[in-house]
């Protein structure tokens, strides 16, 4: 695989092509050297292929990186960030050369790895390997879905590709296997992956750890597999043409490249992978490439003139699309209206009224079931909402009833079967959200949020609207036992910045949890839902266990006083299934002449965002007899109960048994809570 | 794929074979029905193949499930737990029929999913899909490694196979791809995977989400692929013989089966997958199988007589091995001694003295470098220690210097290249630990602990000794930016029950962190290490910033008072790189006439296990001016600072820049800490 590239084909590469590719190499070398940190080898190796893609194929308008019908480009191998920064700069995005000179510096727009929203033209945040591949699958899935919804004869208003560059490391990560398998299954013809096959990874040659037959592997997934010399511009162009022509399945182009191409002593070795080449080697490399040694960050005028053609072509292409869209609005006004609604992820005025209400019911209802009812009530009003489950649709209640499955050849369906692929599901949802037009949701058991955690983190980091439907939220799932019972997951999710974790106490709060998730535009929300039935409270003042309760609307503030006794001796704070337990305990305590306020706290982060006056009204600072109750690890609850309070939680793994048995053995009973409070009040 | 199985081959199955397989089916149906919860379909579908494996191939001794040279059996599709419980019972393990009748009940030994240590003969805890496949790869890897270490001509003392049964779901999970890819790369000939290809998963037919060519996929990974009718006992036996004969690579047998085999109305559908068949359907199924309707849990005497042959053969086989081992002890006494040492994971008496010491050094040393030095000091003394990195060996400092890489065909090497496969690394380490003889360790960046989280949880749940080397532990990694900077990971890991998280403050504490990890036998330890250099303190009373310091030996108690001023006005609690920051702040505070105690708290869980007197001596309950400092999310620290203290942490994502810049901008400076304390003391 590491044989020298044939030079005979080089005749096809014009001098200008080489000049452009070498400009990228020079910028990458110089920026990494100046930062004294970074990865020069990958941009140098993929400079030719990326240059071809960006100048001959990519449909984009550097002046408007948000044009809906642009092609999407994902640099999954995000460590090669200087490749995309060079391309963005050279093709005329708002990324001046000075920013490239400030690579990896505080406040620059050229972060170590490409970051969405941080740099114009960066479609997704990459760096953690494999993620970009799944994002690309999500982007392409969104394209196919929207095309099926909106395209009409003579109106191909959704007509773009997703291109992604990935590395050996990307293809070693499990998420890339999962995502590629699903992309093949769904036959996503609008997806083209360029694999930078350079036989080198950080620790040395890939053959230290990697000997897959990539061609066979992707054929097994149902992909079209192409291969070319990644330094032969003509060959890359030919492969890209073929890949685009393959419309009935995704395509991967195996680009055989030399990492650190041009460096006399470090090309083809891991020495060019993750550190600066060094001043001397850069000099030798520039000499070898016939490149002027000075100035650093050199860009020949001819290169600007050629590559900035995008600033002329892009606006024309976008204008043509705008014109098409104008005609579309006339020909298909209803669809156009729906298009606008979806692109803005807008909810109609009546949506709040459409949220289901739940009648008080002695048997109660699982919050997962209430979530399912909410999804079904909202689906017709919120066309952007598109999701499914990782093979737990029946348990997660994620299906839109009566809607078809989304499948290869027919993307009009609304239920996605992600398969048992939680990690890819998360990465694909990120891609769907990044595409625009969609609010993705995906379901699995809460315990398996672990499988998709890297994607949740990235959604939070990017600040994109993604909704997780995590059911079976505690030991309350019962017989499946400790492998399926989340214990530490609430804490672990709450620890992620910018992620809302909402654990509703009952069906009414569950509907509001969906409202929180849908109204939030700047970040992901995890809904944490019970398997078991929970008592249903009215939306307005209600009775439960003989206590007068406040409206559950308070849930929209993250936490609220659900029951307030006349005299408050203690505060019980609970979430989800433990709220009704707290109410039961308050009833017992009332009989003991102890007034226990019950606070339902479905979402910590929302509560933290309320003003101090409100927060103090719910948890008066002077009140220190506080007991938190949650069927989960106590870790973190001291934020609310302090050193003088108590947490009644589950500080060990679960057990396999009918759930009521487990709650009893684990001390999650009204009696135990009441006793703990009584003891503290008496102190 | 779902065509009816050919019946012509059935002639090969003797009546007894069918009787045995149907006994398993009956037990599975009845147990799930009695529990009113569980998965009957898989055990019913794989009954024939598993029966063949267990009665004709598996080398085991039901009386001694810990015999080192037994074959390992992994039920990766752990939801089919009644399959393994039936096999264990029928072949004579200490699992009475009464336990099967108490399937999924409180206190029974038949939990919802198979649990290691909970049930004799269960080799690993499974249920979360894909994990068992990686465990099996780890078990086989351990076998190959130990065989290379110990086998000598005429002394095949390590000579066993690992068999695993996996499902469609297992093969959809990314971890199975990663693990299978590495197993193929390493050519693990002692590994045989039986794939229960029944075309059904929980949400319906697998073709909803899954259309891989499994044969081609595994060939792409370098496996031998076999295929058979999973209900044809003779065909399964033939395939197993072939798979065992393939010694130069792992083998997968695609067993075409019918889920819920025998059930007239539910076989071949997802209705038999995850819920009881129902009383009526069980009746119909028993009739169809020619099975007596009563009693439930029926086991014909002939079946016991046949399957309990294992209780006669097993001891003989083990005795033969014992005899071999006895001769081995005479022929190779040094090796035998080493064998005993490894099997007990024993450390020699001199190991503590071998821990490196680090001279005070103004430039300091990164704790990852100190960890690397410790690994290299201990490797010769602790032959059980075997590990590597997920392609970050150079950064994680995990390599044993001078040792060869472990590779296909030569398992004498001691450095494992896991590739960019963190999840598989975690699952493989679990398998290595479960095998016995090894203490596995594996490195990656702390931020990528997210990729392997499900495996860490399982190590903690199983209580096995696995060591994680997580370097680049905070924003202190600098330029790589927020995708690579862990923020929430310390909290997320601390939240996992039974996992030690140790974040040493300097090189000396880093050596002790290894000591903690190696002395701990009943659970995993995560070492959390800095990329950047940290000041080195002496092991005995030392000076730092002009303050007299206590011995770092206190780290062994989880937390200790590192610096104690004469008059204590405030307590600073810190971990890792922030301990030296706290010491600097204490110096500043001293100049302001404020006495600030500095507590280094490398391991919360260890500290929590100390007695109350010690804990109160470090953190006197009455002292409420407490400030925690950690370059991570503040979440959780209120456990130690309460409602009246403060946490100086990082409550947002990181940024790309040289790390000193980031620390400054994020307020992690001695001045800021000192000011925060001053303000609080003055209140």
């Amino acid at each position: 695989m590491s044989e020298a590239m044939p030079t005979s084909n080089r005749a096809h590469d014009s001098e200008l092509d080489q000049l452009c590719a070498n400009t990228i190499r020079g910028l990458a070398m110089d920026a990494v050297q100046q930062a004294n940190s970074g990865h020069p080898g990958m941009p140098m190796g993929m400079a030719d292929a990326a240059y071809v893609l960006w100048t001959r194929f990519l449909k984009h308008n550097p002046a408007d990186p948000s044009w809906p019908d642009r092609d999407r480009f994902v640099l999954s191998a995000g460590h090669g960030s200087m490749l995309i920064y060079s391309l963005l700069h050279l093709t005329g995005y708002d990324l001046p050369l000075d920013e490239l000179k400030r690579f990896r510096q505080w406040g620059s727009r050229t972060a170590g790895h490409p970051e969405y929203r941080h740099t114009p033209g960066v479609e997704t945040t990459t760096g953690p390997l494999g993620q970009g591949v799944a994002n690309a699958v999500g982007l392409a899935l969104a394209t196919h879905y929207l095309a099926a919804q909106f395209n009409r004869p003579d109106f191909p208003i959704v007509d773009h590709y997703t291109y992604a560059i990935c590395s050996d490391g990307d293809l070693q990560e499990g998420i890339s296997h999962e995502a590629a398998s699903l992309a093949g299954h769904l036959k996503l013809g609008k997806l083209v992956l360029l694999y930078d096959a350079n036989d080198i990874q950080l620790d040395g040659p890939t053959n230290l750890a990697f000997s897959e037959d990539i061609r066979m592997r992707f054929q097994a997934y149902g992909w079209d597999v192409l291969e070319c010399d990644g330094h032969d511009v003509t060959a890359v162009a030919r492969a890209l043409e073929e890949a685009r022509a393959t419309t009935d399945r995704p395509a991967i182009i195996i680009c055989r490249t030399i990492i650190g191409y041009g460096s006399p002593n470090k090309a083809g070795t891991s020495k060019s992978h993750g550190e600066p080449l060094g001043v001397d080697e850069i000099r030798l490399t520039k000499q070898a490439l016939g490149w002027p040694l000075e100035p650093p960050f050199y860009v020949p005028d001819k290169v600007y003139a050629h590559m900035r053609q995008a600033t002329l072509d892009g606006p024309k292409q976008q204008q043509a699309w705008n014109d098409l869209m104008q005609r579309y609005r006339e020909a298909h006004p209803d669809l156009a209206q729906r298009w606008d609604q979806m692109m803005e992820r807008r909810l109609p005025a009546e949506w709040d009224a459409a949220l289901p209400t739940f009648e008080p019911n002695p048997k109660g209802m699982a919050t997962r079931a209430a979530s399912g009812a909410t999804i079904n009530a909202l689906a017709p009003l919120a066309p952007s909402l598109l999701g499914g489950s990782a093979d737990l649709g029946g348990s997660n209640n994620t299906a839109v009833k009566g809607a078809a499955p989304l499948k290869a050849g027919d993307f009009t369906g609304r239920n996605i079967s992600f398969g048992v692929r939680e990690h890819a599901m998360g990465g694909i949802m990120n891609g769907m959200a990044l595409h625009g037009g969609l609010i993705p949701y995906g379901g699995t058991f809460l315990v398996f949020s672990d499988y998709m955690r890297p994607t949740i983190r990235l959604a939070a980091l990017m600040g994109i609207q993604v909704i997780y439907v995590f059911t079976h939220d505690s030991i309350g799932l019962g017989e499946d036992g400790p492998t399926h019972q989340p214990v530490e997951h609430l804490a672990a999710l709450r620890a992620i910045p910018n992620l809302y974790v909402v654990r509703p106490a009952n069906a009414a709060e569950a509907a509001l949890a969906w409202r929180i998730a849908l109204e939030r535009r700047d970040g992901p929300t995890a809904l944490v839902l019970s398997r078991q039935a929970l008592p249903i409270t009215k939306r307005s003042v209600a009775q439960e266990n003989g206590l007068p309760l406040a409206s559950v609307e308070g849930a929209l503030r993250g936490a609220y006083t659900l029951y307030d006794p006349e005299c408050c001796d203690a505060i019980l704070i609970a979430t989800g299934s433990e709220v009704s337990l707290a109410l039961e305990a308050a009833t017992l305590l009332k009989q003991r002449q102890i007034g226990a306020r019950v606070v339902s706290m479905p979402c910590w982060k929302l509560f933290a965002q309320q003003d101090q006056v409100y927060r103090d009204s719910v948890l008066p600072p002077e009140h220190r007899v506080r007991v938190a109750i949650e069927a989960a690890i106590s870790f973190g609850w001291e934020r609310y109960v302090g050193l003088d309070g108590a947490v009644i939680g589950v500080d060990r793994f679960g057990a396999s048994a009918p759930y009521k048995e487990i709650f009893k053995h684990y001390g999650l009973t009204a009696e135990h809570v009441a006793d703990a409070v009584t003891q503290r009040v008496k102190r």
Side-chain angles (χ1 to χ4, degrees), chain A:
Chain A
M1 267 163 63
S2 56
E3 61 201 326
M5 291 299 137
T7 50
S8 58
N9 292 333
R10 285 298 138 68
H12 299 288
D13 302 7
S14 77
E15 204 180 305
L16 182 60
D17 292 337
Q18 285 190 34
L19 209 61
C20 291
N22 284 340
T23 303
I24 295 170
R25 292 191 176 97
L27 291 174
M29 276 189 284
D30 289 341
V32 171
Q33 189 64 42
Q34 179 140 323
N36 196 25
S37 160
H39 301 73
M42 187 276 187
M44 295 173 75
M46 280 299 282
D48 305 293
Y51 154 75
V52 177
L53 172 64
W54 276 61
T55 54
R56 300 194 199 166
F57 295 92
L58 199 72
K59 180 170 76 171
H60 64 136
N61 179 6
D64 183 2
S66 65
W67 169 29
D69 199 38
R70 72 193 181 280
D71 286 339
R72 268 64 170 179
F73 173 77
V74 173
L75 186 70
S76 188
H79 54 273
S81 55
M82 270 310 300
L83 179 63
I84 190 168
Y85 297 145
S86 300
L87 291 164
L88 291 169
H89 169 70
L90 294 172
T91 58
Y93 283 76
D94 180 18
L95 192 67
L97 197 59
D98 278 348
E99 286 294 317
L100 273 62
K101 293 178 180 169
R102 299 184 60 239
F103 182 50
R104 295 184 157 227
Q105 301 309 302
W106 181 264
S108 81
R109 269 187 278 163
T110 47
H113 292 81
E115 292 179 33
Y116 176 66
R117 285 202 175 128
H118 193 77
T119 312
V122 168
E123 300 276 7
T124 178
T125 298
T126 52
L129 290 169
Q131 298 295 331
V133 175
N135 296 164
V137 172
L139 286 161
L141 192 157
T143 302
H144 281 272
Y145 180 78
L146 292 170
Q149 299 289 317
F150 291 105
N151 286 358
R152 290 297 178 270
D154 299 326
F155 290 106
I157 67 165
V158 181
D159 186 24
H160 51 264
Y161 284 86
T162 295
Y163 301 98
I165 290 180
C166 70
S167 64
D168 304 299
D170 283 305
L171 296 190
Q172 286 168 38
E173 290 287 4
I175 185 175
S176 78
H177 293 253
E178 294 179 5
S181 173
L182 188 60
H185 177 76
L186 292 175
K187 301 187 189 297
L188 300 178
K190 288 291 191 181
L191 175 63
V192 179
L193 199 55
L194 288 92
Y195 166 38
D196 177 19
N198 61 26
D199 299 333
I200 293 296
Q201 56 197 85
L202 207 52
D203 274 351
T206 49
N207 66 19
L208 275 173
F210 195 52
S211 49
E212 288 173 11
D213 182 328
I214 290 287
R215 170 179 289 275
M216 200 188 286
R217 166 179 155 190
F218 276 82
Q219 282 171 345
Y221 298 154
W223 288 52
D224 187 24
V225 183
L226 305 163
E227 192 160 352
C228 68
D229 172 357
H231 299 296
D232 180 340
V233 164
T234 309
V236 173
R238 202 183 311 120
L240 279 165
E241 266 156 28
E242 270 186 65
R244 286 163 50 95
T246 302
T247 55
D248 62 344
R249 59 207 151 124
I252 181 170
I253 302 171
I254 302 172
C255 301
R256 299 284 169 200
T257 66
I258 297 169
I259 192 169
Y261 183 95
S263 162
N265 298 303
K266 298 190 172 177
T269 78
S270 60
K271 283 181 199 143
S272 70
H273 191 298
E275 57 190 29
L277 292 183
V279 173
D280 292 345
E281 187 66 15
I282 287 178
R283 185 167 38 75
L284 294 173
T285 306
K286 288 183 175 173
Q287 282 168 348
L289 293 171
W291 204 248
L293 298 182
E294 293 293 331
F297 298 92
Y298 173 58
V299 181
D301 290 343
K302 268 199 273 188
V303 168
Y304 276 133
H306 179 58
M307 292 187 74
R308 295 225 161 143
Q309 185 65 29
T311 61
L312 304 175
D313 295 343
K316 278 184 211 156
Q317 288 173 307
Q318 186 166 356
Q319 188 54 50
W321 184 83
N322 287 346
D323 295 344
L324 177 73
M325 200 65 207
Q326 194 51 48
R327 294 195 301 280
Y328 184 80
R329 286 184 188 288
E330 286 154 22
H332 300 287
D334 290 355
L335 280 174
Q337 203 173 9
R338 190 179 166 92
W339 169 267
D340 292 339
Q341 186 192 353
M342 286 180 71
M343 287 301 127
E344 295 165 24
R345 287 175 286 151
R346 208 188 324 126
L347 298 161
E350 65 274 24
W351 83 279
D352 189 33
L355 279 178
T357 52
F358 300 93
E359 289 305 305
N361 178 341
K363 278 183 68 182
M365 186 181 204
T367 51
R368 64 175 168 141
S371 165
T374 308
I375 290 173
N376 278 280
L378 293 177
L381 299 172
S384 290
L385 205 57
L386 178 64
S389 165
D391 196 40
L392 290 168
S395 300
N396 301 143
N397 298 62
T398 41
V400 176
K401 284 169 196 159
L406 185 150
K407 62 185 180 190
D410 179 7
F411 284 87
T412 58
R414 206 161 167 180
N415 290 312
I416 305 177
S417 290
F418 288 102
V420 191
R421 303 183 182 99
E422 299 84 5
H423 201 178
M425 177 169 75
I428 288 169
M429 284 199 286
N430 287 351
M432 290 164 67
L434 289 162
H435 182 281
L438 298 177
I439 304 173
Y441 68 93
T444 186
F445 288 170
L446 176 59
V447 80
F448 301 135
S449 62
D450 276 353
Y451 274 75
M452 54 193 299
R453 206 170 151 83
T455 67
I456 301 173
R457 173 172 222 260
L458 283 163
L461 177 58
M462 290 191 273
I464 54 178
Q465 189 178 13
V466 172
I467 302 172
Y468 308 105
V469 180
F470 292 140
T471 69
H472 295 60
D473 69 349
S474 77
I475 50 170
L477 67 82
E479 290 88 345
D480 271 347
T483 55
H484 285 55
Q485 290 165 354
V487 171
E488 71 276 23
H489 300 76
L490 276 164
L493 290 171
R494 284 178 184 137
I496 299 177
N498 198 36
L499 171 70
Y500 280 5
V501 180
V502 190
R503 187 170 188 242
N506 49 42
E509 279 194 14
L512 295 177
W514 267 101
R515 181 168 160 177
I516 290 167
L518 286 170
E519 288 187 335
R520 172 161 214 229
R521 313 306 293 264
D522 59 351
T525 302
L527 307 178
V528 175
L529 306 166
S530 74
R531 175 193 187 215
Q532 74 273 30
L534 303 177
I536 299 180
T537 320
K538 264 196 180 169
R539 263 188 150 196
S540 55
V541 176
Q543 291 285 110
E544 188 160 303
N545 298 306
L547 307 177
L549 303 185
S551 162
V552 295
E553 295 283 334
L556 297 173
R557 305 193 75 171
Y560 64 107
T561 303
L562 178 61
Y563 162 64
D564 209 12
E566 280 174 34
C567 165
C568 179
D569 302 304
I571 303 177
L572 304 182
I573 315 170
T575 77
S577 47
E578 287 63 69
V579 172
S580 54
L581 188 67
L583 288 172
E584 270 186 74
T587 309
L588 289 179
L589 287 164
K590 197 178 172 193
Q591 292 159 6
R592 300 181 194 173
Q593 318 301 327
I594 294 172
R597 168 181 288 194
V598 175
V599 172
S600 174
M601 190 182 272
C603 181
W604 288 25
K605 286 214 182 70
L606 249 182
F607 181 59
Q609 287 165 13
Q610 305 303 312
D611 60 58
Q612 185 77 41
V613 174
Y614 178 74
R615 282 185 284 134
D616 288 352
S617 77
V618 177
L619 298 176
E622 70 281 7
H623 255 297
R624 294 297 175 95
V625 183
R626 300 175 178 192
V627 176
I629 313 153
E630 188 168 64
I633 204 97
S634 60
F635 186 87
W637 273 108
E638 292 87 356
R639 173 161 296 180
Y640 297 110
V641 304
L643 297 174
D644 308 304
V647 188
I648 296 175
V650 176
D651 281 321
R652 54 170 164 151
F653 289 109
S656 170
Y659 79 91
K660 288 180 184 171
E661 282 281 300
I662 309 174
F663 270 85
K664 193 180 73 187
H665 285 283
Y666 277 57
L668 284 158
T669 62
E671 290 72 19
H672 182 220
V673 172
D675 290 348
V677 172
T678 306
Q679 204 176 26
R680 267 156 212 282
V681 169
K682 286 193 176 155
R683 249 186 223 168

